[in-house]
Amino acid sequence: MTTASDPSYPAHWEADVVLRDGGTARIRPITTEDAGRLVSFYEQVSDESKYYRFFAPYPRLSDRDVHRFTHHDYVDRVGLAATIGDEFIGTVRYDRIGPDGRPASAPADEAEVAFLVQDAHQGRGVASALLEHIGAVARERGIRRFAAEVLPANTKMIKVFTDAGYQQKRSFEDGSVHLTLDLEPTAESLAVQRAREQRAEARSVQRLLAPGSVAVIGVSRSGSGVGAAALRNLRDGGFHGHLYAVNEARAPGMEGDLLDGVRAYRTVADIGAPVDLAVIAVPAQRVPDAVAACGEHGVQGLVVLSAGYGESGPEGLDRQRELVRQARSYGMRLIGPNAFGVINTAADVEMNASLAPAPATARGRIGLFTQSGA
């Protein structure tokens, strides 16, 4: 049995990836501990997607299937999952095969590959990211070619393979499209990979710099403190989107009342509307709870103003690493901690989500990134 704590577990295959829409996901090997996650994931996939994957109605996974899809040797049989939080949003697996198409071991250098992506996450580039990573894993294990059988109607998956940039052969056999991909990187496949990463990173940064809604978490009723200052700067700077304040000390039933002229709520969950960016200004020991609340609400990005992290010593550095891990587990991008904030002077945004009471007002094409908040 292989688990994430096992010495044989290939931890170096784990990676955080930015998806096409700017969100993030974590790709990691599937282990024997993932049976429940796999069953839950499969239950959320549509009947059509299941049919495309198995070429037949396949309403549920049998116990034998679950065992097969969660037990791998990480050499001849490998499964990877794309995760957000603790849930699977996509899976990919390869099985090494010989010239006769049967299961094989090295020196056989071909493998059959198959994907399944949850319908709610299709179109986000999950399959492309999984193909890129399973290809790198396969090359590490001496596999040089992938073979895939795809139904002609499954145009999305065919496009994933054809757009990857690998040299490939295509044929039509027994009612399905048979694809063979040469996994040796080419100038085209490397260019595709770089372009995908660049577009995803640009979209990700755009989500941080041009949100449609911002919630400031940790706004005091007295109007003092970092959170209240950030809220005032956002309000006075003329932010064009929706603005919310979060104050945990507010009495129940007062949700939506005004705090310093801004609608205020006890928690992010009480807002009842999408929040693109959360500015967190609570003490470091309360940040994990705030991040979890944001992740559960579907917040896309975080600016953590709170101090007490890497700048405070080894214990703070550990706290900082855990913060990054937690934010990424929910698919959120993170600026901070101990950040000064984010400013966007674009005419259609005018966002001063920072501690600068008088931000730059000039508009142009220059962006400034600095590692030190001070």
Side-chain angles (χ1 to χ4, degrees):
M1 183 174 75
T2 305
T3 66
S5 59
D6 232 320
S8 61
Y9 175 80
H12 65 289
W13 292 351
E14 295 182 355
D16 294 304
V17 297
V18 182
L19 302 177
R20 186 175 296 151
D21 61 357
T24 64
R26 186 161 186 80
I27 293 179
R28 64 167 177 81
I30 296 174
T31 76
T32 55
E33 298 174 331
D34 289 321
R37 296 181 187 90
L38 183 66
V39 171
S40 176
F41 161 72
Y42 195 77
E43 289 175 346
Q44 298 178 62
V45 174
S46 70
D47 291 340
E48 180 182 60
S49 293
K50 292 173 183 174
Y51 186 86
Y52 283 156
R53 168 64 177 85
F54 293 101
F55 291 24
Y58 216 86
R60 64 186 59 85
L61 294 174
S62 66
D63 291 343
R64 182 179 178 181
D65 291 328
V66 173
H67 184 276
R68 182 161 60 96
F69 294 152
T70 55
H71 287 67
H72 307 98
D73 62 9
Y74 301 125
V75 178
D76 298 327
R77 299 178 63 251
V78 171
L80 301 180
T83 67
I84 293 180
D86 200 37
E87 297 184 358
F88 285 7
I89 64 169
T91 61
V92 63
R93 56 179 288 108
Y94 79 64
D95 292 89
R96 195 189 299 259
I97 56 176
D100 58 357
R102 292 174 174 269
S105 298
D109 61 359
E110 185 170 338
E112 190 172 44
V113 66
F115 295 85
L116 188 60
V117 176
Q118 199 179 105
D119 293 69
H121 294 277
Q122 291 180 10
R124 302 185 65 200
V126 176
S128 296
L130 284 170
L131 176 60
E132 182 180 307
H133 283 261
I134 198 77
V137 168
R139 288 193 296 271
E140 181 180 325
R141 297 308 195 211
I143 292 171
R144 297 290 173 258
R145 291 180 305 282
F146 273 160
E149 298 288 339
V150 186
L151 288 174
N154 193 359
T155 55
K156 291 181 181 178
M157 191 53 62
I158 293 175
K159 191 173 189 301
V160 169
F161 286 115
T162 56
D163 288 353
Y166 294 117
Q167 291 185 355
Q168 60 180 270
K169 297 178 182 178
R170 184 191 300 198
S171 61
F172 190 77
E173 302 173 11
D174 299 326
S176 65
V177 178
H178 181 80
L179 296 169
T180 302
L181 279 71
D182 187 340
L183 295 181
E184 191 64 30
T186 65
E188 183 179 358
S189 68
L190 293 174
V192 167
Q193 178 180 335
R194 285 194 295 268
R196 182 189 68 77
E197 291 174 349
Q198 184 179 30
R199 287 193 301 268
E201 288 288 353
R203 181 66 61 86
S204 182
V205 171
Q206 181 184 37
R207 284 166 39 144
L208 291 169
L209 294 181
S213 55
V214 176
V216 181
I217 302 173
V219 181
S220 66
R221 284 180 291 182
S222 66
S224 62
V226 172
L231 181 67
R232 281 194 300 272
N233 293 341
L234 274 161
R235 182 200 62 194
D236 297 344
F239 176 58
H240 288 219
H242 299 287
L243 186 58
Y244 309 103
V246 175
N247 177 285
E248 295 179 352
R250 294 185 70 76
M254 295 179 63
E255 288 81 1
D257 285 353
L258 295 181
L259 181 62
D260 206 10
V262 177
R263 292 287 178 187
Y265 302 84
R266 295 184 67 219
T267 68
V268 173
D270 292 330
I271 292 174
V275 175
D276 296 331
L277 181 69
V279 179
I280 297 179
V282 299
Q285 63 268 25
R286 288 167 48 200
V287 168
D289 290 339
V291 172
C294 289
E296 295 297 330
H297 192 66
V299 175
Q300 297 178 350
L302 304 173
V303 176
V304 178
L305 306 179
S306 313
Y309 288 89
E311 80 284 355
S312 63
E315 184 177 342
L317 184 58
D318 289 341
R319 191 181 299 123
Q320 181 168 304
R321 288 169 176 157
E322 176 58 23
L323 170 62
V324 173
R325 186 208 63 77
Q326 185 187 19
R328 287 177 175 173
S329 75
Y330 283 107
M332 297 184 291
R333 299 310 302 267
L334 169 67
I335 293 178
N338 197 26
F340 187 72
V342 180
I343 298 172
N344 185 350
T345 61
D348 59 343
V349 180
E350 294 188 304
M351 179 180 70
N352 178 16
S354 79
L355 302 179
T361 56
R363 300 186 179 110
R365 300 176 59 189
I366 294 177
L368 173 65
F369 297 80
T370 177
Q371 184 174 350
S372 169

